[in-house]
């Protein structure tokens, strides 16, 4: 009888041991083992201890990257172009109603206003109206206002909000600031 109880106890201990080994193996797969960080043994009290610097989670992105990522999220393909020459550079995105390709132009100019810079690189055309210059053609594409109720809207990128908004001034009086970003978007009214 004692022999039978001893065998049962040994069997029970083996089952418990096997369960513990299985639990330990599963926890090792779920959680990687922490690596011990050695600590200096003979550091004088006056020496500052090093502090860990957190690793950046992602590279910071610029405003153009953020804009293009957002456009690509909507299924657009951004095509980069460089035009013009001059000391001041700014960016224009052209979004038409007829293509999923968005033209991105890095414009270099010595002109002072947005209209004169865009006309200088033959990117826009239009006509004078009672309220100012009316842009009818952008990047060779003319909006058909009379037939299809199409028109070009000019948007200005606000870095503090990270969004485009309506241009607050007329295209002929908008002063160019270095690295400013604009968008021409064709709408159907």
């Amino acid at each position: 009888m004692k022999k039978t109880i001893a065998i049962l106890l040994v069997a029970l201990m083996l089952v418990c041991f096997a369960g513990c080994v299985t639990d330990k193996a599963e926890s090792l797969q779920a959680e990687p083992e922490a690596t011990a960080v050695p600590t200096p043994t003979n550091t004088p009290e006056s020496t500052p201890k090093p502090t860990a610097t957190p690793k950046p989670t992602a590279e910071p992105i610029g405003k153009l990257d953020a804009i293009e990522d957002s456009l690509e999220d909507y299924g657009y393909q951004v095509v980069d172009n460089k035009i013009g020459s001059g000391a001041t550079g700014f960016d224009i995105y052209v979004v038409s109603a007829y293509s999923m390709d968005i033209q991105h132009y890095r414009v270099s100019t010595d002109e002072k206003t947005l209209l004169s810079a865009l006309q200088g690189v033959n990117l826009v055309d239009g006509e004078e109206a009672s309220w100012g210059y009316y842009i009818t053609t952008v990047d060779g594409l003319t909006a058909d206002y009379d037939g299809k109720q199409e028109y070009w809207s000019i948007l200005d990128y606000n870095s503090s909000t990270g969004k485009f908004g309506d241009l607050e001034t007329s295209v002929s009086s908008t002063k160019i600031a270095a690295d400013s970003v604009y968008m021409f978007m064709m709408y159907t009214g």
Side-chain angles (χ1 to χ4, degrees):
M1 176 86 172
K2 288 182 180 180
K3 205 176 196 183
T4 306
I5 293 174
I7 292 174
L8 286 174
L9 286 175
V10 169
L12 182 61
M13 286 180 13
L14 287 175
V15 169
C16 289
F17 180 74
C20 291
V21 170
T22 303
D23 289 343
K24 179 67 175 174
E26 289 172 356
S27 70
L28 285 176
Q29 290 174 351
E31 298 175 12
E33 188 174 50
T35 306
V37 178
T39 56
T41 54
N42 294 329
T43 305
E45 293 290 328
S46 61
T47 306
K49 293 182 180 178
T51 58
T53 55
K55 287 185 176 182
T57 56
E59 290 292 318
I61 59 173
K63 64 182 171 186
L64 296 180
D65 292 331
I67 292 168
E68 292 182 14
D69 287 348
S70 177
L71 292 170
E72 289 170 358
D73 286 346
Y74 285 99
Y76 289 104
Q77 174 73 32
V78 179
V79 180
D80 293 319
N81 305 281
K82 292 182 180 183
I83 56 175
S85 62
T88 304
F90 65 97
D91 296 276
I92 298 282
Y93 289 91
V94 179
V95 182
S96 87
Y98 299 104
S99 175
M100 292 304 288
D101 286 345
I102 293 180
Q103 299 299 316
H104 165 237
Y105 291 98
R106 178 65 180 177
V107 181
S108 297
T109 187
D110 287 327
E111 297 292 337
K112 301 298 180 211
T113 66
L114 184 57
L115 179 60
S116 59
L118 296 175
Q119 286 176 326
V121 293
N122 297 316
L123 195 57
V124 299
D125 196 12
E127 55 194 41
E128 278 298 328
S130 60
W131 64 88
Y133 195 81
Y134 175 57
I135 293 179
T136 57
T137 303
V138 177
D139 197 23
L141 183 61
T142 302
D144 181 9
Y145 186 77
D146 294 330
K148 298 178 183 176
Q149 300 295 301
E150 297 171 336
Y151 62 95
W152 286 104
S153 179
I154 308 169
L155 306 172
D156 184 19
Y157 184 75
N158 183 327
S159 294
S160 62
T161 64
K163 297 180 181 180
F164 283 94
D166 291 329
L167 189 65
E168 298 282 326
T169 57
S170 71
V171 69
S172 57
S173 64
T174 300
K175 303 289 183 205
I176 297 173
D179 297 321
S180 53
V181 182
Y182 303 97
M183 181 180 285
F184 282 97
M185 183 170 280
M186 181 183 276
Y187 285 102
T188 303

